[in-house]
Amino acid sequence: MTGPGTNSFLIGEEEVVVIDPGPDDLGHVQAILDAVEGRISHILVTHAHLDHSAGVALLAQATGAPVFAFGNAESGRSPTMARLAQTGLVGGGEGIDQVFRPDIFLRHGEVLQSDDWVIEALHTPGHMGGHLSFRLGDAIFCGDLIMGWSTTLISPPDGDLVDYFRSLDLLAGLAPRILYPAHGDPVTDPLPRLAELGAHRRHRTAQILSALDEAGGTAADLAARIYAVPQHLMPAAERNVLAHLLALADLGAVTYDGGPAAGVRWHRAAAAEG
């Protein structure tokens, strides 16, 4: 699900910021070190997935630079997702980095700076509760929130669709000139892409409601009826459907049998009440 791999970004000359050291791969980390002429002074992590944060230990050991992030893998979860996590639902194939801990916690709007850069932390949950983006002038390094070649995975309890829509609105309101995702090429026309991603999720919600009008089902049942993807991608599709169902449940549009766990059966609210 990472496309061509993870992009690690280097900012600055005398004092260099590294955004997302990438996986626990010596070759990847060595490539970062080889590319730096100045001193690596800050290591920033967008979120605690293994393809972004697992290389932190190697890079921090080599440079002594402090590590900045929102928190650990469970930080920033919405109340709905925190309750879901208590049911025991974990994982989703996206590679949670359970051992990641930053040295310094960043919150929304905090600013880091040197003589040649000023970087603002933006809390942009959705793909993950503790996901950060980083603004440098009119550019935003957006981690896994936005990609040009694909939509992001929203996998409860780590991802939250309601948070995702809020983060899309946040970035749109900042009107960036360019977005730098952690996977794939830069997004050079951000506002249309942000609008497209929001419309895609609203269309998916409509598909789920239409499927529930025909018959109730589990998230896996609904994903099989809605998605036309290879079988190995169906678990991710199921998690995306679950994210939509949980958001719809908060709105009162759908109900479920028992507790909001992964395998429960979902219904349209009107049908359940009737």
Side-chain angles (χ1 to χ4, degrees), residues 164-165 168 192-206:
Y164 175 75
F165 276 117
L168 291 184
R193 181 57 177 160
L194 291 166
E196 179 184 25
L197 290 171
H200 168 78
R201 293 290 177 173
R202 287 188 289 272
H203 175 66
R204 187 68 75 200
T205 294

Side-chain angles (χ1 to χ4, degrees), residues 14 38 93 99 117 127 156 173 188 195 203 243 258:
E14 296 301 320
V99 302
W117 48 258
H127 174 69
T188 57
H203 175 66

Side-chain angles (χ1 to χ4, degrees), residues 114-191:
S114 74
D115 290 340
D116 63 343
W117 48 258
V118 177
I119 295 174
E120 181 184 6
L122 305 172
H123 185 212
T124 51
H127 174 69
M128 204 170 191
H131 190 286
L132 290 177
S133 298
F134 299 102
R135 179 160 68 158
L136 176 71
D138 58 3
I140 295 177
F141 299 84
C142 57
D144 279 2
L145 184 72
I146 310 296
M147 292 175 282
W149 61 280
S150 176
T151 59
T152 194
L153 175 65
I154 301 178
S155 178
D158 303 303
D160 185 303
L161 183 64
V162 175
D163 281 346
Y164 175 75
F165 276 117
R166 291 179 182 140
S167 294
L168 291 184
D169 289 343
L170 171 66
L171 294 195
L174 296 173
R177 174 185 56 85
I178 191 167
L179 298 174
Y180 291 104
H183 305 289
D185 295 332
V187 177
T188 57
D189 202 3
L191 292 182

